[in-house]
Amino acid sequence: MNLLITGCCGHIGSYIAQNVYKIKKIKKTILVDNIKSNRFCSLFNLNKKNKLKFLLRDVSITNSLNDIKKIDYVIHCASMTNAEKSFSKKSEMYKNNLNCLRNVIKFCKKNNSKLIHLSSTSVYGKQTKIVDENCEKKYLKPQSPYADIKLIEERMLKKMSKELSYITYRFGTISGVSSGIRFHTAVNKFCFNAAINENINVYKTALHQYRPYLSLRDAFKVFKFSIENDFFKNDIFNALSGNYTVDQILKKIKKYKKNIKIKLVSSRIMNQLSYHVSDKKINNAGLYLNSKIDLDIKETIKLLKNI
Ligand SMILES: NC(=O)c1ccc[n+]([C@@H]2O[C@H](COP(=O)([O-])OP(=O)(O)OC[C@H]3O[C@@H](n4cnc5c(N)ncnc54)[C@H](O)[C@@H]3O)[C@@H](O)[C@H]2O)c1
């Protein structure tokens, strides 16, 4: 069976490209990215046994995938992803991300390919103890254009339910090391600043608020599970390794880097409130995600140990 990974040079896509040989069903993988993020390094020294082919493509352009054939599964990672910067790049992000998904849907329909779509737990946002996939609409409160777009994408797919096999995963914030690692999300950014002895900027209101996090190891488990079990339910599933407060994350960082400097700052997206995200639905499907994000933190700090 053949796999297409869009956005293969990114944090998640590059991890899949490095590890895809572990998904037994997959014999060949096509990688696509526009490399606007300049992460050429994600393509360096990839393992021959992964049987990879890279195509430089802008997925937001109509027909950009037209010459790719015989694809059984698509993992769609191509997206602009910086939530905080999404306020100033709103229209560009809407255009890029929605056009990418439109073209991927068209591709999947034409080729009869099954689609793994990545949404985000940032679609949740109202103060409550725990939120799940079937929560009332009032608990879906995206706090950034990035998260707004994720909800629109989920709805686009739901409308296509009769014409397409897909699954949407709402991923928690990713932690862990890949060749396309980014440092603009919580855990990784904190690790980077700790490693270079800079201030760790924490949103004033966020210190004791719970948020969901997902280890890259668990993210990969999700992809492997879906493909190996043909798990495409045309439905939405949360995926997280655990819910933690920023304070708890900082304590984990302190285990590997004793002296860290914390500075409380303001942000446009800091008014998000505290919530736990439920993983019951994915557990009920037979998938348990319990990788330790402590190990991701250790490995991320270790990357920078000699500077
Ligand atoms: N990293 C996280 O914490 C996280 C959490 C929840 C959901 N997600 C979702 O997972 C997916 C992948 O995230 P990531 O962390 O790997 O992001 P990333 O920013 O590291 O990678 C995205 C990749 O997509 C590529 N890309 C963007 N627009 C493209 C286009 N038009 N054509 C071709 N390539 C294009 C970029 O060049 C980049 O390499 C995204 O949909 C993201 O929203 C990520």
Side-chain angles (χ1 to χ4, degrees), residues 3 16 19-26 73 75 116 169 171 216-232 287 289:
L3 171 67
I16 313 167
N19 290 285
V20 71
Y21 69 92
K22 295 175 186 164
I23 307 176
K24 295 280 179 291
K25 261 186 176 178
I26 301 301
Y73 302 105
I75 304 179
I116 299 180
Y169 289 108
F171 273 12
L216 262 179
R217 275 172 268 263
D218 279 343
F220 187 75
K221 256 196 221 169
V222 167
F223 300 126
K224 187 168 152 66
F225 177 86
S226 283
I227 292 174
E228 289 183 345
N229 298 290
D230 217 28
F231 187 71
F232 291 85
L287 180 59
L289 303 173

PDB file of all heavy atoms in Angstrom, residues 3 16 19-26 73 75 116 169 171 216-232 287 289:
ATOM      1  N   LEU A   3       1.484   5.516   0.598  1.00  0.00           N
ATOM      2  CA  LEU A   3       1.086   6.617   1.477  1.00  0.00           C
ATOM      3  C   LEU A   3       1.562   7.940   0.882  1.00  0.00           C
ATOM      4  O   LEU A   3       2.649   8.009   0.299  1.00  0.00           O
ATOM      5  CB  LEU A   3       1.761   6.398   2.845  1.00  0.00           C
ATOM      6  CG  LEU A   3       1.681   7.516   3.890  1.00  0.00           C
ATOM      7  CD1 LEU A   3       0.249   7.710   4.381  1.00  0.00           C
ATOM      8  CD2 LEU A   3       2.587   7.186   5.089  1.00  0.00           C
ATOM      9  N   ILE A  16       7.100  11.289  10.743  1.00  0.00           N
ATOM     10  CA  ILE A  16       6.462  10.143  10.053  1.00  0.00           C
ATOM     11  C   ILE A  16       7.418   9.637   8.969  1.00  0.00           C
ATOM     12  O   ILE A  16       7.619   8.426   8.824  1.00  0.00           O
ATOM     13  CB  ILE A  16       5.105  10.510   9.420  1.00  0.00           C
ATOM     14  CG1 ILE A  16       4.212  11.284  10.392  1.00  0.00           C
ATOM     15  CG2 ILE A  16       4.375   9.253   8.939  1.00  0.00           C
ATOM     16  CD1 ILE A  16       2.999  11.931   9.728  1.00  0.00           C
ATOM     17  N   ASN A  19      10.018   7.420  10.269  1.00  0.00           N
ATOM     18  CA  ASN A  19       9.595   6.181  10.951  1.00  0.00           C
ATOM     19  C   ASN A  19       8.608   5.316  10.172  1.00  0.00           C
ATOM     20  O   ASN A  19       8.148   4.300  10.686  1.00  0.00           O
ATOM     21  CB  ASN A  19       8.945   6.546  12.300  1.00  0.00           C
ATOM     22  CG  ASN A  19       9.982   7.064  13.281  1.00  0.00           C
ATOM     23  OD1 ASN A  19      10.761   6.286  13.832  1.00  0.00           O
ATOM     24  ND2 ASN A  19      10.027   8.368  13.464  1.00  0.00           N
ATOM     25  N   VAL A  20       8.326   5.718   8.933  1.00  0.00           N
ATOM     26  CA  VAL A  20       7.210   5.080   8.224  1.00  0.00           C
ATOM     27  C   VAL A  20       7.442   3.575   7.992  1.00  0.00           C
ATOM     28  O   VAL A  20       6.484   2.799   7.898  1.00  0.00           O
ATOM     29  CB  VAL A  20       6.884   5.850   6.912  1.00  0.00           C
ATOM     30  CG1 VAL A  20       7.948   5.682   5.865  1.00  0.00           C
ATOM     31  CG2 VAL A  20       5.518   5.480   6.389  1.00  0.00           C
ATOM     32  N   TYR A  21       8.706   3.137   7.984  1.00  0.00           N
ATOM     33  CA  TYR A  21       8.976   1.704   7.791  1.00  0.00           C
ATOM     34  C   TYR A  21       8.335   0.857   8.900  1.00  0.00           C
ATOM     35  O   TYR A  21       8.139  -0.340   8.750  1.00  0.00           O
ATOM     36  CB  TYR A  21      10.491   1.435   7.725  1.00  0.00           C
ATOM     37  CG  TYR A  21      11.215   1.653   9.038  1.00  0.00           C
ATOM     38  CD1 TYR A  21      11.412   0.609   9.933  1.00  0.00           C
ATOM     39  CD2 TYR A  21      11.675   2.919   9.395  1.00  0.00           C
ATOM     40  CE1 TYR A  21      12.049   0.819  11.143  1.00  0.00           C
ATOM     41  CE2 TYR A  21      12.315   3.143  10.597  1.00  0.00           C
ATOM     42  CZ  TYR A  21      12.496   2.088  11.474  1.00  0.00           C
ATOM     43  OH  TYR A  21      13.112   2.301  12.684  1.00  0.00           O
ATOM     44  N   LYS A  22       7.978   1.501  10.033  1.00  0.00           N
ATOM     45  CA  LYS A  22       7.357   0.750  11.138  1.00  0.00           C
ATOM     46  C   LYS A  22       5.880   0.430  10.857  1.00  0.00           C
ATOM     47  O   LYS A  22       5.262  -0.331  11.590  1.00  0.00           O
ATOM     48  CB  LYS A  22       7.455   1.567  12.436  1.00  0.00           C
ATOM     49  CG  LYS A  22       8.888   1.765  12.896  1.00  0.00           C
ATOM     50  CD  LYS A  22       8.947   2.667  14.115  1.00  0.00           C
ATOM     51  CE  LYS A  22      10.383   2.989  14.482  1.00  0.00           C
ATOM     52  NZ  LYS A  22      10.486   4.134  15.395  1.00  0.00           N
ATOM     53  N   ILE A  23       5.323   1.073   9.811  1.00  0.00           N
ATOM     54  CA  ILE A  23       3.940   0.739   9.436  1.00  0.00           C
ATOM     55  C   ILE A  23       4.033  -0.325   8.336  1.00  0.00           C
ATOM     56  O   ILE A  23       4.315  -0.016   7.174  1.00  0.00           O
ATOM     57  CB  ILE A  23       3.157   1.986   8.948  1.00  0.00           C
ATOM     58  CG1 ILE A  23       3.251   3.114   9.972  1.00  0.00           C
ATOM     59  CG2 ILE A  23       1.692   1.624   8.666  1.00  0.00           C
ATOM     60  CD1 ILE A  23       2.597   4.432   9.550  1.00  0.00           C
ATOM     61  N   LYS A  24       3.823  -1.554   8.742  1.00  0.00           N
ATOM     62  CA  LYS A  24       4.132  -2.698   7.872  1.00  0.00           C
ATOM     63  C   LYS A  24       3.413  -2.637   6.518  1.00  0.00           C
ATOM     64  O   LYS A  24       3.978  -3.000   5.495  1.00  0.00           O
ATOM     65  CB  LYS A  24       3.771  -4.011   8.588  1.00  0.00           C
ATOM     66  CG  LYS A  24       4.610  -4.272   9.835  1.00  0.00           C
ATOM     67  CD  LYS A  24       5.982  -4.848   9.484  1.00  0.00           C
ATOM     68  CE  LYS A  24       6.863  -5.096  10.672  1.00  0.00           C
ATOM     69  NZ  LYS A  24       7.353  -3.881  11.350  1.00  0.00           N
ATOM     70  N   LYS A  25       2.165  -2.169   6.534  1.00  0.00           N
ATOM     71  CA  LYS A  25       1.369  -2.144   5.304  1.00  0.00           C
ATOM     72  C   LYS A  25       1.974  -1.253   4.217  1.00  0.00           C
ATOM     73  O   LYS A  25       1.679  -1.427   3.045  1.00  0.00           O
ATOM     74  CB  LYS A  25       0.003  -1.522   5.636  1.00  0.00           C
ATOM     75  CG  LYS A  25      -1.127  -2.462   5.858  1.00  0.00           C
ATOM     76  CD  LYS A  25      -2.375  -1.585   6.013  1.00  0.00           C
ATOM     77  CE  LYS A  25      -3.620  -2.376   6.138  1.00  0.00           C
ATOM     78  NZ  LYS A  25      -4.786  -1.504   6.330  1.00  0.00           N
ATOM     79  N   ILE A  26       2.743  -0.252   4.625  1.00  0.00           N
ATOM     80  CA  ILE A  26       3.167   0.783   3.674  1.00  0.00           C
ATOM     81  C   ILE A  26       4.441   0.366   2.942  1.00  0.00           C
ATOM     82  O   ILE A  26       5.480   0.130   3.540  1.00  0.00           O
ATOM     83  CB  ILE A  26       3.387   2.149   4.393  1.00  0.00           C
ATOM     84  CG1 ILE A  26       2.094   2.599   5.079  1.00  0.00           C
ATOM     85  CG2 ILE A  26       3.892   3.209   3.418  1.00  0.00           C
ATOM     86  CD1 ILE A  26       0.894   2.783   4.162  1.00  0.00           C
ATOM     87  N   TYR A  73      -3.425   5.859   1.277  1.00  0.00           N
ATOM     88  CA  TYR A  73      -3.648   6.691   2.474  1.00  0.00           C
ATOM     89  C   TYR A  73      -2.957   8.040   2.325  1.00  0.00           C
ATOM     90  O   TYR A  73      -1.853   8.112   1.784  1.00  0.00           O
ATOM     91  CB  TYR A  73      -3.070   6.004   3.722  1.00  0.00           C
ATOM     92  CG  TYR A  73      -3.660   4.639   3.971  1.00  0.00           C
ATOM     93  CD1 TYR A  73      -2.929   3.488   3.703  1.00  0.00           C
ATOM     94  CD2 TYR A  73      -4.950   4.506   4.481  1.00  0.00           C
ATOM     95  CE1 TYR A  73      -3.467   2.234   3.925  1.00  0.00           C
ATOM     96  CE2 TYR A  73      -5.498   3.248   4.705  1.00  0.00           C
ATOM     97  CZ  TYR A  73      -4.754   2.120   4.426  1.00  0.00           C
ATOM     98  OH  TYR A  73      -5.291   0.879   4.641  1.00  0.00           O
ATOM     99  N   ILE A  75      -1.747  11.272   4.776  1.00  0.00           N
ATOM    100  CA  ILE A  75      -1.658  11.970   6.066  1.00  0.00           C
ATOM    101  C   ILE A  75      -1.413  13.430   5.722  1.00  0.00           C
ATOM    102  O   ILE A  75      -0.375  13.781   5.144  1.00  0.00           O
ATOM    103  CB  ILE A  75      -0.524  11.421   6.965  1.00  0.00           C
ATOM    104  CG1 ILE A  75      -0.693   9.918   7.194  1.00  0.00           C
ATOM    105  CG2 ILE A  75      -0.521  12.165   8.298  1.00  0.00           C
ATOM    106  CD1 ILE A  75       0.400   9.284   8.067  1.00  0.00           C
ATOM    107  N   ILE A 116      -6.181  10.975   6.649  1.00  0.00           N
ATOM    108  CA  ILE A 116      -6.001  11.345   8.058  1.00  0.00           C
ATOM    109  C   ILE A 116      -5.830  12.855   8.098  1.00  0.00           C
ATOM    110  O   ILE A 116      -4.874  13.400   7.530  1.00  0.00           O
ATOM    111  CB  ILE A 116      -4.778  10.640   8.695  1.00  0.00           C
ATOM    112  CG1 ILE A 116      -4.960   9.121   8.646  1.00  0.00           C
ATOM    113  CG2 ILE A 116      -4.583  11.124  10.141  1.00  0.00           C
ATOM    114  CD1 ILE A 116      -3.815   8.317   9.253  1.00  0.00           C
ATOM    115  N   TYR A 169      -8.185  13.847  13.705  1.00  0.00           N
ATOM    116  CA  TYR A 169      -7.647  13.787  15.062  1.00  0.00           C
ATOM    117  C   TYR A 169      -7.414  15.207  15.566  1.00  0.00           C
ATOM    118  O   TYR A 169      -6.760  15.996  14.882  1.00  0.00           O
ATOM    119  CB  TYR A 169      -6.330  13.014  15.097  1.00  0.00           C
ATOM    120  CG  TYR A 169      -6.522  11.535  14.886  1.00  0.00           C
ATOM    121  CD1 TYR A 169      -6.133  10.929  13.703  1.00  0.00           C
ATOM    122  CD2 TYR A 169      -7.116  10.758  15.877  1.00  0.00           C
ATOM    123  CE1 TYR A 169      -6.327   9.562  13.512  1.00  0.00           C
ATOM    124  CE2 TYR A 169      -7.324   9.394  15.686  1.00  0.00           C
ATOM    125  CZ  TYR A 169      -6.923   8.809  14.508  1.00  0.00           C
ATOM    126  OH  TYR A 169      -7.127   7.462  14.316  1.00  0.00           O
ATOM    127  N   PHE A 171      -5.265  16.914  17.744  1.00  0.00           N
ATOM    128  CA  PHE A 171      -3.998  16.694  18.446  1.00  0.00           C
ATOM    129  C   PHE A 171      -3.786  17.740  19.541  1.00  0.00           C
ATOM    130  O   PHE A 171      -4.040  18.934  19.329  1.00  0.00           O
ATOM    131  CB  PHE A 171      -2.822  16.805  17.459  1.00  0.00           C
ATOM    132  CG  PHE A 171      -2.469  15.522  16.743  1.00  0.00           C
ATOM    133  CD1 PHE A 171      -3.303  14.410  16.768  1.00  0.00           C
ATOM    134  CD2 PHE A 171      -1.277  15.426  16.031  1.00  0.00           C
ATOM    135  CE1 PHE A 171      -2.966  13.238  16.104  1.00  0.00           C
ATOM    136  CE2 PHE A 171      -0.926  14.255  15.362  1.00  0.00           C
ATOM    137  CZ  PHE A 171      -1.774  13.166  15.404  1.00  0.00           C
ATOM    138  N   LEU A 216       5.267  13.170  20.272  1.00  0.00           N
ATOM    139  CA  LEU A 216       5.402  12.732  18.866  1.00  0.00           C
ATOM    140  C   LEU A 216       5.313  11.211  18.752  1.00  0.00           C
ATOM    141  O   LEU A 216       4.786  10.688  17.776  1.00  0.00           O
ATOM    142  CB  LEU A 216       6.750  13.189  18.315  1.00  0.00           C
ATOM    143  CG  LEU A 216       6.774  14.468  17.480  1.00  0.00           C
ATOM    144  CD1 LEU A 216       8.190  14.785  17.043  1.00  0.00           C
ATOM    145  CD2 LEU A 216       5.872  14.363  16.254  1.00  0.00           C
ATOM    146  N   ARG A 217       5.840  10.523  19.774  1.00  0.00           N
ATOM    147  CA  ARG A 217       5.767   9.049  19.767  1.00  0.00           C
ATOM    148  C   ARG A 217       4.309   8.587  19.717  1.00  0.00           C
ATOM    149  O   ARG A 217       3.955   7.663  18.993  1.00  0.00           O
ATOM    150  CB  ARG A 217       6.414   8.471  21.030  1.00  0.00           C
ATOM    151  CG  ARG A 217       7.896   8.299  20.951  1.00  0.00           C
ATOM    152  CD  ARG A 217       8.433   7.907  22.325  1.00  0.00           C
ATOM    153  NE  ARG A 217       8.817   9.129  23.023  1.00  0.00           N
ATOM    154  CZ  ARG A 217      10.056   9.590  23.066  1.00  0.00           C
ATOM    155  NH1 ARG A 217      11.014   8.907  22.512  1.00  0.00           N
ATOM    156  NH2 ARG A 217      10.332  10.725  23.669  1.00  0.00           N
ATOM    157  N   ASP A 218       3.460   9.256  20.500  1.00  0.00           N
ATOM    158  CA  ASP A 218       2.039   8.900  20.507  1.00  0.00           C
ATOM    159  C   ASP A 218       1.354   9.334  19.206  1.00  0.00           C
ATOM    160  O   ASP A 218       0.449   8.660  18.713  1.00  0.00           O
ATOM    161  CB  ASP A 218       1.336   9.532  21.715  1.00  0.00           C
ATOM    162  CG  ASP A 218       1.554   8.725  22.992  1.00  0.00           C
ATOM    163  OD1 ASP A 218       1.952   7.541  22.894  1.00  0.00           O
ATOM    164  OD2 ASP A 218       1.322   9.274  24.085  1.00  0.00           O
ATOM    165  N   ALA A 219       1.780  10.480  18.661  1.00  0.00           N
ATOM    166  CA  ALA A 219       1.201  10.928  17.378  1.00  0.00           C
ATOM    167  C   ALA A 219       1.454   9.839  16.334  1.00  0.00           C
ATOM    168  O   ALA A 219       0.551   9.470  15.565  1.00  0.00           O
ATOM    169  CB  ALA A 219       1.830  12.258  16.952  1.00  0.00           C
ATOM    170  N   PHE A 220       2.670   9.301  16.339  1.00  0.00           N
ATOM    171  CA  PHE A 220       2.982   8.253  15.364  1.00  0.00           C
ATOM    172  C   PHE A 220       2.129   7.003  15.600  1.00  0.00           C
ATOM    173  O   PHE A 220       1.653   6.373  14.649  1.00  0.00           O
ATOM    174  CB  PHE A 220       4.479   7.904  15.396  1.00  0.00           C
ATOM    175  CG  PHE A 220       4.862   6.959  14.308  1.00  0.00           C
ATOM    176  CD1 PHE A 220       4.975   7.396  12.988  1.00  0.00           C
ATOM    177  CD2 PHE A 220       5.064   5.607  14.558  1.00  0.00           C
ATOM    178  CE1 PHE A 220       5.286   6.512  11.954  1.00  0.00           C
ATOM    179  CE2 PHE A 220       5.373   4.713  13.537  1.00  0.00           C
ATOM    180  CZ  PHE A 220       5.490   5.171  12.238  1.00  0.00           C
ATOM    181  N   LYS A 221       1.924   6.684  16.890  1.00  0.00           N
ATOM    182  CA  LYS A 221       1.072   5.532  17.228  1.00  0.00           C
ATOM    183  C   LYS A 221      -0.321   5.682  16.608  1.00  0.00           C
ATOM    184  O   LYS A 221      -0.943   4.726  16.154  1.00  0.00           O
ATOM    185  CB  LYS A 221       0.886   5.463  18.745  1.00  0.00           C
ATOM    186  CG  LYS A 221       1.690   4.412  19.442  1.00  0.00           C
ATOM    187  CD  LYS A 221       1.104   4.196  20.841  1.00  0.00           C
ATOM    188  CE  LYS A 221       2.159   4.028  21.873  1.00  0.00           C
ATOM    189  NZ  LYS A 221       1.638   4.068  23.242  1.00  0.00           N
ATOM    190  N   VAL A 222      -0.822   6.941  16.627  1.00  0.00           N
ATOM    191  CA  VAL A 222      -2.147   7.239  16.084  1.00  0.00           C
ATOM    192  C   VAL A 222      -2.182   6.925  14.575  1.00  0.00           C
ATOM    193  O   VAL A 222      -3.107   6.273  14.076  1.00  0.00           O
ATOM    194  CB  VAL A 222      -2.504   8.728  16.350  1.00  0.00           C
ATOM    195  CG1 VAL A 222      -3.710   9.164  15.540  1.00  0.00           C
ATOM    196  CG2 VAL A 222      -2.734   8.978  17.832  1.00  0.00           C
ATOM    197  N   PHE A 223      -1.143   7.371  13.858  1.00  0.00           N
ATOM    198  CA  PHE A 223      -1.107   7.132  12.404  1.00  0.00           C
ATOM    199  C   PHE A 223      -1.013   5.629  12.114  1.00  0.00           C
ATOM    200  O   PHE A 223      -1.703   5.103  11.250  1.00  0.00           O
ATOM    201  CB  PHE A 223       0.092   7.853  11.768  1.00  0.00           C
ATOM    202  CG  PHE A 223       0.067   9.348  11.960  1.00  0.00           C
ATOM    203  CD1 PHE A 223       1.147  10.027  12.507  1.00  0.00           C
ATOM    204  CD2 PHE A 223      -1.057  10.088  11.603  1.00  0.00           C
ATOM    205  CE1 PHE A 223       1.120  11.400  12.692  1.00  0.00           C
ATOM    206  CE2 PHE A 223      -1.099  11.469  11.788  1.00  0.00           C
ATOM    207  CZ  PHE A 223      -0.006  12.122  12.333  1.00  0.00           C
ATOM    208  N   LYS A 224      -0.137   4.965  12.863  1.00  0.00           N
ATOM    209  CA  LYS A 224       0.082   3.518  12.657  1.00  0.00           C
ATOM    210  C   LYS A 224      -1.223   2.754  12.937  1.00  0.00           C
ATOM    211  O   LYS A 224      -1.621   1.877  12.180  1.00  0.00           O
ATOM    212  CB  LYS A 224       1.204   3.075  13.619  1.00  0.00           C
ATOM    213  CG  LYS A 224       1.695   1.666  13.441  1.00  0.00           C
ATOM    214  CD  LYS A 224       2.993   1.488  14.264  1.00  0.00           C
ATOM    215  CE  LYS A 224       3.236   0.073  14.727  1.00  0.00           C
ATOM    216  NZ  LYS A 224       3.485  -0.907  13.713  1.00  0.00           N
ATOM    217  N   PHE A 225      -1.883   3.143  14.023  1.00  0.00           N
ATOM    218  CA  PHE A 225      -3.143   2.492  14.417  1.00  0.00           C
ATOM    219  C   PHE A 225      -4.189   2.655  13.317  1.00  0.00           C
ATOM    220  O   PHE A 225      -4.845   1.687  12.909  1.00  0.00           O
ATOM    221  CB  PHE A 225      -3.625   3.097  15.733  1.00  0.00           C
ATOM    222  CG  PHE A 225      -4.953   2.566  16.210  1.00  0.00           C
ATOM    223  CD1 PHE A 225      -5.020   1.409  16.973  1.00  0.00           C
ATOM    224  CD2 PHE A 225      -6.137   3.231  15.905  1.00  0.00           C
ATOM    225  CE1 PHE A 225      -6.250   0.915  17.416  1.00  0.00           C
ATOM    226  CE2 PHE A 225      -7.372   2.746  16.345  1.00  0.00           C
ATOM    227  CZ  PHE A 225      -7.415   1.584  17.102  1.00  0.00           C
ATOM    228  N   SER A 226      -4.359   3.885  12.839  1.00  0.00           N
ATOM    229  CA  SER A 226      -5.392   4.153  11.824  1.00  0.00           C
ATOM    230  C   SER A 226      -5.159   3.319  10.572  1.00  0.00           C
ATOM    231  O   SER A 226      -6.092   2.720  10.032  1.00  0.00           O
ATOM    232  CB  SER A 226      -5.372   5.627  11.390  1.00  0.00           C
ATOM    233  OG  SER A 226      -5.969   6.409  12.344  1.00  0.00           O
ATOM    234  N   ILE A 227      -3.891   3.313  10.127  1.00  0.00           N
ATOM    235  CA  ILE A 227      -3.594   2.637   8.860  1.00  0.00           C
ATOM    236  C   ILE A 227      -3.647   1.115   9.043  1.00  0.00           C
ATOM    237  O   ILE A 227      -4.292   0.414   8.260  1.00  0.00           O
ATOM    238  CB  ILE A 227      -2.226   3.118   8.311  1.00  0.00           C
ATOM    239  CG1 ILE A 227      -2.343   4.594   7.898  1.00  0.00           C
ATOM    240  CG2 ILE A 227      -1.779   2.257   7.128  1.00  0.00           C
ATOM    241  CD1 ILE A 227      -1.053   5.248   7.471  1.00  0.00           C
ATOM    242  N   GLU A 228      -3.022   0.619  10.103  1.00  0.00           N
ATOM    243  CA  GLU A 228      -2.971  -0.849  10.266  1.00  0.00           C
ATOM    244  C   GLU A 228      -4.346  -1.449  10.552  1.00  0.00           C
ATOM    245  O   GLU A 228      -4.620  -2.578  10.199  1.00  0.00           O
ATOM    246  CB  GLU A 228      -1.964  -1.230  11.359  1.00  0.00           C
ATOM    247  CG  GLU A 228      -0.541  -0.986  10.863  1.00  0.00           C
ATOM    248  CD  GLU A 228       0.527  -1.413  11.850  1.00  0.00           C
ATOM    249  OE1 GLU A 228       0.200  -1.638  13.018  1.00  0.00           O
ATOM    250  OE2 GLU A 228       1.695  -1.492  11.414  1.00  0.00           O
ATOM    251  N   ASN A 229      -5.208  -0.674  11.212  1.00  0.00           N
ATOM    252  CA  ASN A 229      -6.548  -1.196  11.535  1.00  0.00           C
ATOM    253  C   ASN A 229      -7.624  -0.669  10.600  1.00  0.00           C
ATOM    254  O   ASN A 229      -8.809  -0.857  10.841  1.00  0.00           O
ATOM    255  CB  ASN A 229      -6.913  -0.844  12.979  1.00  0.00           C
ATOM    256  CG  ASN A 229      -5.959  -1.486  13.954  1.00  0.00           C
ATOM    257  OD1 ASN A 229      -5.977  -2.697  14.135  1.00  0.00           O
ATOM    258  ND2 ASN A 229      -5.092  -0.682  14.544  1.00  0.00           N
ATOM    259  N   ASP A 230      -7.187   0.019   9.560  1.00  0.00           N
ATOM    260  CA  ASP A 230      -8.120   0.636   8.636  1.00  0.00           C
ATOM    261  C   ASP A 230      -9.197   1.428   9.401  1.00  0.00           C
ATOM    262  O   ASP A 230     -10.402   1.274   9.171  1.00  0.00           O
ATOM    263  CB  ASP A 230      -8.772  -0.442   7.754  1.00  0.00           C
ATOM    264  CG  ASP A 230      -8.962   0.087   6.340  1.00  0.00           C
ATOM    265  OD1 ASP A 230      -8.188   0.959   5.924  1.00  0.00           O
ATOM    266  OD2 ASP A 230      -9.918  -0.364   5.676  1.00  0.00           O
ATOM    267  N   PHE A 231      -8.723   2.232  10.314  1.00  0.00           N
ATOM    268  CA  PHE A 231      -9.605   2.962  11.239  1.00  0.00           C
ATOM    269  C   PHE A 231      -9.901   4.350  10.667  1.00  0.00           C
ATOM    270  O   PHE A 231      -9.186   5.315  10.911  1.00  0.00           O
ATOM    271  CB  PHE A 231      -8.904   3.046  12.603  1.00  0.00           C
ATOM    272  CG  PHE A 231      -9.750   3.611  13.698  1.00  0.00           C
ATOM    273  CD1 PHE A 231     -10.816   2.893  14.237  1.00  0.00           C
ATOM    274  CD2 PHE A 231      -9.477   4.868  14.225  1.00  0.00           C
ATOM    275  CE1 PHE A 231     -11.590   3.413  15.258  1.00  0.00           C
ATOM    276  CE2 PHE A 231     -10.250   5.405  15.247  1.00  0.00           C
ATOM    277  CZ  PHE A 231     -11.304   4.669  15.769  1.00  0.00           C
ATOM    278  N   PHE A 232     -10.941   4.413   9.840  1.00  0.00           N
ATOM    279  CA  PHE A 232     -11.345   5.673   9.201  1.00  0.00           C
ATOM    280  C   PHE A 232     -12.844   5.822   9.405  1.00  0.00           C
ATOM    281  O   PHE A 232     -13.637   5.347   8.611  1.00  0.00           O
ATOM    282  CB  PHE A 232     -10.958   5.674   7.712  1.00  0.00           C
ATOM    283  CG  PHE A 232      -9.473   5.743   7.519  1.00  0.00           C
ATOM    284  CD1 PHE A 232      -8.704   4.582   7.546  1.00  0.00           C
ATOM    285  CD2 PHE A 232      -8.831   6.961   7.364  1.00  0.00           C
ATOM    286  CE1 PHE A 232      -7.321   4.634   7.419  1.00  0.00           C
ATOM    287  CE2 PHE A 232      -7.456   7.024   7.232  1.00  0.00           C
ATOM    288  CZ  PHE A 232      -6.707   5.855   7.262  1.00  0.00           C
ATOM    289  N   LEU A 287      -7.191   2.392  21.461  1.00  0.00           N
ATOM    290  CA  LEU A 287      -5.867   3.026  21.378  1.00  0.00           C
ATOM    291  C   LEU A 287      -5.583   3.808  22.657  1.00  0.00           C
ATOM    292  O   LEU A 287      -6.353   4.710  23.032  1.00  0.00           O
ATOM    293  CB  LEU A 287      -5.821   3.956  20.149  1.00  0.00           C
ATOM    294  CG  LEU A 287      -4.500   4.690  19.910  1.00  0.00           C
ATOM    295  CD1 LEU A 287      -3.346   3.714  19.739  1.00  0.00           C
ATOM    296  CD2 LEU A 287      -4.595   5.578  18.676  1.00  0.00           C
ATOM    297  N   LEU A 289      -2.795   6.135  24.627  1.00  0.00           N
ATOM    298  CA  LEU A 289      -1.616   6.976  24.405  1.00  0.00           C
ATOM    299  C   LEU A 289      -1.065   7.365  25.768  1.00  0.00           C
ATOM    300  O   LEU A 289      -1.745   8.028  26.547  1.00  0.00           O
ATOM    301  CB  LEU A 289      -2.014   8.231  23.618  1.00  0.00           C
ATOM    302  CG  LEU A 289      -2.698   7.951  22.278  1.00  0.00           C
ATOM    303  CD1 LEU A 289      -3.212   9.238  21.650  1.00  0.00           C
ATOM    304  CD2 LEU A 289      -1.754   7.236  21.316  1.00  0.00           C
TER     305      LEU A 289
END
